[in-house]
Amino acid sequence: MIWNEKAECMSAQEREELQLKLLQDVVKKAYENVPYYRKRLDDVGVTPEDIQTLKDIEKLPFTTKSDLRDAYPFGMFAVNTDDIVEVHTTSGTTGKPTVSGYTTKDLEIWGEVVARALSMAGATKKDIVQNCYGYGLFTGGLGVHHGGQKVGCTVIPISAGNTQRQIEIIQDFKSTILTCTPSYAMYIAEVLEREGVPKEDIKLKSGVFGAEMWTEEMRNEIEKRLNIDALNIYGLTEIIGPGVANECMEKNGLHIFDDHFYPEIVDPQTLETLPEGEKGELVLTTLTREGMPVLRFRTRDITALRKGECGCGRTHVKIDRITGRSDDMLKIRGVIVFPSQIERALLKIPGMEPNYQIIASRPEHLDELEVQVEASPALFSDEVKHVEQIKQSIEKQIHDEIGLRVNVTLVEPNSIPRSEGKAVRVIDKRGFSEE
């Protein structure tokens, strides 16, 4: 299913011509209507007229999350607050939240890009979307809701939590598409299995999962246990919310809807633009947002760009699966470690569940990494010798993956807290944050 063939399958030349026009328009809009951007562009001696090619985007300054926090609540809006019809924010767990404001036109754009994403998962008017993303100031719930309604699906706004009720709704309403975090999808699968729900009672055919990093191994587990196609959706509040990019059924990278969001990859240290295929930090510019244009936002997400037509027929540039964040990676004894690497290692071991927590500590001036892993009920009741062999096997698998020796602790089944939102994978007890 292609929702908007004209936009999603245009030629490279058409796309670049459109992107340049939209880039020129958004820079002019930001310069004339957002005092923050006027000052930043004046400081570097750049005017909207200096944007003559797409490469000229590199003349523009970057925008960071700190910049958006400093503008709290409405300092980044390019329109009068009378024209803002919806607002969302980030969680604000590390300070003031960032605020995202939407005009009526912005909500239409948001619905459009999420409709494209859901269509990649096979959504049509005949489908029932069980939307388990949180509603409220978090963008997930309402973002998917806007897109589902645009497609014409029946959207069940169940939000996150109350898993027993989720199971009943899946059975009774015959939901066909599940939207939530991948870790919550795994938990739903666990509960379905534990309660012995018959396979014929489940009509799910696909899932659109995001809001946290996950691995190919996690996808395989979800698909096997829920008997669905599991697709990766990407988005962030600062840009629009979910719907910036999504996987198609080729499952080989996420299509960025680059007629609305212009992507770049930069070296997170030097901030130099990197060529296609080289891994670095994703930077995004909104091309069409009216209420809150954002120029060169540093997402901190690590990925690479891939150009060329996909097997599905779409011609959007793709990004690789996000492998980590430049600001939440762990540096252990000089080695960079991402939670996704630990997850990948665990899921290479037959029968191992992806329920784990990573604990970094510095007991005696040397970094230590402990990985707590839930054992299956059968394993946990097994003889000590066998349990020790499994523990050593996990430690070796993780060492092979990250090049570091870690301490693995097998914990009781269901002892690691389940999350109905984003899973908490890392606990850093070292008392400092990584640079």
Side-chain angles (χ1 to χ4, degrees), residues 2 14 36 42 59 72 103 138 149 152-153 183 203 219 230 233 269 287 307 327 340 361 378 407 414 416 420-421:
I2 296 179
E14 286 177 303
Y36 164 81
D42 285 346
K59 298 176 180 178
Y72 177 89
T103 64
F138 171 61
Q149 287 189 326
C153 304
S183 55
K203 303 301 180 185
R219 187 218 300 276
I233 190 169
Q269 304 302 321
L287 295 176
K307 294 182 180 178
D327 61 353
S340 58
S361 60
N407 300 313
N414 302 309
I416 293 175
E420 293 164 352

Side-chain angles (χ1 to χ4, degrees), residues 41-72:
L41 266 65
D42 285 346
D43 286 348
V44 296
V46 174
T47 67
E49 290 70 33
D50 292 328
I51 308 301
Q52 296 297 315
T53 68
L54 285 174
K55 186 167 177 57
D56 288 336
I57 195 172
E58 295 175 23
K59 298 176 180 178
L60 301 174
F62 292 99
T63 305
T64 66
K65 189 181 283 282
S66 294
D67 297 326
L68 299 183
R69 285 186 180 130
D70 290 344
Y72 177 89

Side-chain angles (χ1 to χ4, degrees), residues 328-378:
D328 75 0
M329 62 190 182
L330 286 166
K331 189 182 287 183
I332 305 294
R333 302 196 288 277
V335 176
I336 300 300
V337 178
F338 291 111
S340 58
Q341 294 173 291
I342 304 292
E343 182 176 297
R344 188 179 302 116
L346 288 176
L347 286 172
K348 286 180 179 177
I349 300 170
M352 193 56 57
E353 300 283 344
N355 298 318
Y356 64 95
Q357 254 180 355
I358 303 165
I359 300 171
S361 60
R362 182 174 279 182
E364 296 187 14
H365 312 292
L366 187 65
D367 290 341
E368 297 290 343
L369 202 63
E370 177 191 5
V371 181
Q372 295 186 350
V373 184
E374 279 189 13
S376 67

Side-chain angles (χ1 to χ4, degrees), residues 277-308:
E278 198 162 326
K279 189 170 287 191
E281 181 181 332
L282 178 64
V283 172
L284 292 169
T285 295
T286 63
L287 295 176
T288 54
R289 278 196 70 180
E290 185 177 65
M292 197 179 118
V294 179
L295 307 180
R296 301 195 84 194
F297 180 72
R298 292 188 60 185
T299 68
R300 304 288 183 174
D301 291 323
I302 303 299
T303 184
L305 296 179
R306 311 280 176 187
K307 294 182 180 178

Side-chain angles (χ1 to χ4, degrees), residues 217-236:
E217 289 77 11
M218 173 79 96
R219 187 218 300 276
N220 294 338
E221 279 293 306
I222 292 171
E223 291 191 332
K224 179 176 69 176
R225 295 170 76 165
L226 289 177
N227 193 29
I228 61 173
D229 284 297
L231 303 182
N232 200 347
I233 190 169
Y234 175 76
L236 54 169

Side-chain angles (χ1 to χ4, degrees), residues 379-396:
L379 175 62
F380 203 79
S381 61
D382 213 335
E383 61 181 69
V384 174
K385 181 181 176 182
H386 182 58
V387 171
E388 186 61 28
Q389 288 173 344
I390 294 293
K391 177 178 174 297
Q392 290 173 0
S393 174
I394 297 171
E395 288 176 343
K396 181 181 184 304

